[in-house]
Amino acid sequence: KSPAATFPRLVHLVESEEYTLSAVSGLVISIGGLSESLVKHSWDALLRLLQKESVSTRLRVAKALTSTLGTFKGNDRVIIPVFKTAHLFITNGCLDELDASDESQTNIPRDLLLSAQSEMRGSSDVNKLDAGASLVAALLQFPFAQVRGPSLQTLLAFLCHKYPRVRRRAAEELYMQVLTHEGIVCQERMEETMRVLPETDWTLPVPELKALRDSLYGAFGVERVVVATTGPKKVAAKPKEDSSYKDFVKEMHY
């Protein structure tokens, strides 16, 4: 049967708690794949179903995505499609109804971020980095401190990534998120930021971009993590997310 006929039937498996994880793990390969036809029909079918379903079903699918990232850690054949699927999931409003007072719900975007950082750390796969950057940018819609701050730090670090394509992607994603969501940039630095992100040639050599990139940390209200290169120093304990980001920066050589 054609994808147009098959996927509207297959996606109903996510309605059953018993089969949600297995169904999502299989669907992401089509949703985040390379075949335009499979991507279109699989995602359209899942989105139509999710729009009719309860919040609990959408949350269950989201948790299945985070679980799949953990199960297939390091397996790019699965990880990249999950990144793409999670990006579509978030940008199409499937997590818009998160209860900020429920830690089990707010942990979903946090877990997606931590998985993305872990997978991108040390990676030389531009397609993986590209998909990961888009997912991290989508997570900026969540104002939770453990998500927005580290997401901004990751994208700002990518502005000086060794690959020009990744630098451009980070700049484009940051620009679009600033246009879309309020409160990401300090109001007094808005005009400057909206000029620098789209007008800078992010394909220039990294040494020529670092000073400009570093100036943006203040605009976004986050600190740049500087990795010490000399002897150990005593520092105040930081939350786990900060430590994760510091490791990310160290291994990516920013």
Side-chain angles (χ1 to χ4, degrees), residues 4-76:
T6 301
F7 284 109
R9 293 175 171 83
L10 284 177
V11 294
H12 284 284
L13 287 171
V14 305
E15 295 175 302
S16 169
E17 291 188 32
E18 182 179 0
Y19 295 110
T20 299
L21 179 57
S22 296
V24 170
S25 296
L27 282 168
V28 295
I29 303 301
S30 296
I31 295 172
L34 299 176
S35 167
E36 185 175 340
S37 175
L38 287 180
V39 170
K40 173 179 170 51
H41 292 297
S42 57
W43 172 246
D44 284 352
L46 180 59
L47 181 60
R48 282 197 298 270
L49 178 70
L50 292 176
Q51 289 173 335
K52 298 175 183 177
E53 287 292 326
S54 64
V55 174
S56 61
T57 299
R58 292 194 287 274
L59 291 175
R60 195 167 66 248
V61 171
K63 291 176 181 178
L65 289 171
T66 63
S67 180
T68 302
L69 285 170
T71 300
F72 293 94
K73 182 177 174 62
N75 184 342
D76 290 356

Side-chain angles (χ1 to χ4, degrees), residues 123-171:
S123 176
S124 295
D125 187 328
V126 177
N127 290 323
K128 183 177 187 178
L129 294 166
D130 194 70
S134 293
L135 171 56
V136 171
L139 291 169
L140 288 174
Q141 79 172 64
F142 303 105
F144 318 131
Q146 73 270 32
V147 176
R148 180 169 285 181
S151 295
L152 284 168
Q153 290 173 316
T154 297
L155 291 168
L156 288 167
F158 271 8
L159 292 179
C160 282
H161 194 278
K162 62 181 178 180
Y163 295 130
R165 174 176 158 186
V166 177
R167 300 200 291 270
R168 287 198 306 268
R169 171 63 69 182

Side-chain angles (χ1 to χ4, degrees), residues 156-199:
L156 288 167
F158 271 8
L159 292 179
C160 282
H161 194 278
K162 62 181 178 180
Y163 295 130
R165 174 176 158 186
V166 177
R167 300 200 291 270
R168 287 198 306 268
R169 171 63 69 182
E172 291 168 359
E173 292 288 357
L174 277 169
Y175 180 71
M176 291 305 300
Q177 292 302 318
V178 171
L179 285 176
T180 306
H181 303 291
E182 296 182 355
I184 294 179
V185 175
C186 302
Q187 193 59 41
E188 61 271 20
R189 301 281 300 274
M190 177 69 77
E191 184 178 347
E192 172 197 352
T193 303
M194 298 302 282
R195 173 178 51 80
V196 169
L197 286 174
E199 294 180 10

Side-chain angles (χ1 to χ4, degrees), residues 112-126:
L112 287 172
L113 172 63
L114 293 177
S115 291
Q117 288 179 327
S118 176
E119 287 293 339
M120 293 188 293
R121 188 177 297 135
S123 176
S124 295
D125 187 328
V126 177

